[in-house]
Amino acid sequence: MAFYHPILFRLDAERAHTLTIAALGAWGKAGTPLAPSVPRLATTVAGIAFPNPVGLAAGVDKDGRAIDSFFGLGFGSVEIGTLTPVPQPGNPKPRIFRLPEDRAVINRLGFNNGGLDAALSRVCSPAKAGAQAGSPPSRGNKVLGINVGANKDASDRTADYVHGVTRAAPHADYITINISSPNTPGLRDLQHGAALRDLLAACTTAKGTTPIFLKVAPDLEPADIDDIARAALDNRIDALIVNNTTISRPGLRSANAKETGGLSGAPLAPLARQRLSDFRKATGAAIPLISVGGVDSGAEAYARLRAGASLVQLYTALVYEGPGLPARILRELDALLKRDGFTTVGDAVGVDA
C-alpha cells in the first residue's frame, strides 16, 4: 500500500506500495527526521524504552527494506514482517484493494516475503547480551520489532514459529508471534485451546531474554478472548497486540467492499476499541496492550491510551494521510497530554478503563 499521492493512486495498489518502499529505502540513508524527540511521550513497555508510543504495524515493510526511513518519519517503533522461515510468494494477484470512500484497505497477501534470513541481513540490531557475532550496530533508542509467522505449506507450524523466534531474538527488541492473519488457511486455529498453549510454551522457551508479543484477531467470541488472555498470562507473554485485520464488513460503501481478505483502516476502529476493552478486562490489566486498527490522529491515539493501550500502531491511515501523519499524531498527542496535566504518556494509560 502506498502513501497517498494522486499519481500513485492511479497505479495498482501493490505496485504503488513497492515503489513507495523503494523510495523510502533510498531516503532513509540520508533523510532528516521529521519528528523531534518529545520527553513527555517516552514510555517503557515490557522493559523496553520507547521514545514515543506510536509504532508502525507489521505488513508495511515486510522485508525490512526501509527501517531507517520509517524511524525518520517519527515512529517510536517499527515492526517488520510477517517473516516466514522460507521465502514464499503469497496469494495470487491482485491481492490489495483500496476502499477510498471508506478510508480502508482489504488485503489477502498471504505472508508474501523474502524469508527470515534475507530480512535479518538488513536489520540494524542493537548490541545485546548473547547476540550473535556480526550483529549490526546499535539503533540507539529506536525500537525494532520482528513479526514472525509460519509458511503456508509447513507440516509443523509450531516448529516454524520456534525457528522464527530463535533466529530473530538476537536482532530484535521484541518479537511478535502472528497467528491472526486471515489470509493463511487454518492459521487462526492456533489461537485456541491446546494448540495456542503449546505454541506459546515453545516460543517463550526459544526467545531467551527478548520480549515476546502475541498478535490476535478481532474476530473473536468472548470465550476465545478469555482463553487467549489466560494462555498469555500463564506463558508470561510480554504484550498483546490487539488486533489484526477483520473478515467482517461493517457498512462499507466502496466498490471493492466484497473482496475477500482482511479489512483494515477507519471501519475497523469501533471493533478495535471494543477488543481493547475486552482484553483489558480479560487480562485484568496484567499484560500491556498495543492497540491497532483505525488509529489516524492524535485524538484517536490518546483515546486508545486512556482506554488501556500502552502503545498504538498504525498502517492504513498512512495510505490516506501520507508520510507526515506520524509527526502530526505526536504533536497532537503531546498537546492533549499537556492539556490534561499528564507528565508522561504512561500516566494516561487506562485512566478511562
Side-chain angles (χ1 to χ4, degrees):
M1 286 171 250
F3 296 155
Y4 176 75
H5 189 284
I7 294 176
L8 286 172
F9 264 48
R10 294 174 187 171
L11 300 177
D12 166 79
E14 187 164 356
R15 174 61 175 160
H17 177 74
T18 300
L19 291 173
T20 299
I21 294 298
L24 281 169
W27 173 77
K29 293 179 174 61
T32 300
L34 299 184
S37 175
V38 181
R40 192 193 321 271
L41 297 182
T43 188
T44 299
V45 177
I48 305 167
F50 289 78
N52 68 65
V54 180
L56 181 73
V60 183
D61 189 8
K62 284 178 176 286
D63 289 304
R65 297 182 181 277
I67 295 169
D68 290 340
S69 300
F70 284 111
F71 282 127
L73 297 183
F75 286 107
S77 57
V78 169
E79 187 171 317
I80 63 170
T82 297
L83 296 167
T84 55
V86 177
Q88 63 181 23
N91 294 322
K93 299 179 182 180
R95 53 193 181 180
I96 304 179
F97 306 90
R98 303 185 190 97
L99 285 69
E101 294 86 354
D102 301 294
R103 299 181 69 78
V105 166
I106 291 173
N107 91 82
R108 51 174 181 262
L109 288 163
F111 287 174
N112 59 308
N113 72 106
L116 184 66
D117 289 345
L120 291 181
S121 72
R122 303 184 189 98
V123 166
C124 277
S125 171
K128 296 180 64 177
Q132 295 177 353
S135 291
S138 173
R139 293 182 306 275
N141 67 341
K142 298 171 182 176
V143 177
L144 179 73
I146 299 180
N147 183 303
V148 299
N151 282 107
K152 182 178 180 179
D153 60 356
S155 58
D156 184 344
R157 285 181 170 167
T158 294
D160 272 19
Y161 282 99
V162 170
H163 175 82
V165 169
T166 302
R167 288 284 293 116
H171 307 281
D173 293 300
Y174 70 85
I175 303 166
T176 296
I177 301 171
N178 183 3
I179 55 173
S180 52
S181 170
N183 300 316
T184 296
L187 189 75
R188 288 188 171 185
D189 293 343
L190 291 172
Q191 295 182 124
H192 309 291
L196 174 62
R197 294 174 184 278
D198 291 346
L199 173 68
L200 296 185
C203 288
T204 52
T205 298
K207 75 183 183 68
T209 60
T210 305
I212 196 162
F213 298 176
L214 175 66
K215 188 167 187 174
V216 300
D219 309 305
L220 297 168
E221 297 297 326
D224 298 328
I225 294 169
D226 290 339
D227 190 39
I228 291 169
R230 177 48 53 192
L233 288 166
D234 289 346
N235 287 279
R236 299 184 180 182
I237 297 301
D238 295 284
L240 292 174
I241 300 180
V242 185
N243 38 249
N244 213 315
T245 57
T246 180
I247 57 175
S248 67
R249 297 292 183 265
L252 304 177
R253 299 171 294 157
S254 301
N256 286 325
K258 294 183 180 180
E259 293 290 344
T260 59
L263 172 72
S264 60
L268 181 54
L271 182 56
R273 297 184 200 113
Q274 182 60 54
R275 288 294 171 265
L276 173 61
S277 175
D278 293 339
F279 274 99
R280 172 85 175 184
K281 293 175 183 176
T283 60
I287 299 177
L289 303 177
I290 302 167
S291 187
V292 194
V295 177
D296 58 6
S297 68
E300 185 63 30
Y302 186 49
R304 303 287 178 95
L305 295 171
R306 291 181 64 107
S310 296
L311 305 167
V312 299
Q313 290 182 341
L314 55 94
Y315 181 170
T316 302
L318 285 170
V319 176
Y320 295 100
E321 297 291 336
L325 178 61
R328 175 165 63 82
I329 289 177
L330 295 176
R331 290 193 301 269
E332 294 171 354
L333 183 56
D334 184 52
L336 290 166
L337 290 164
K338 182 178 180 180
R339 181 198 70 186
D340 292 345
F342 292 112
T343 303
T344 70
V345 68
D347 294 337
V349 172
V351 297
D352 293 338

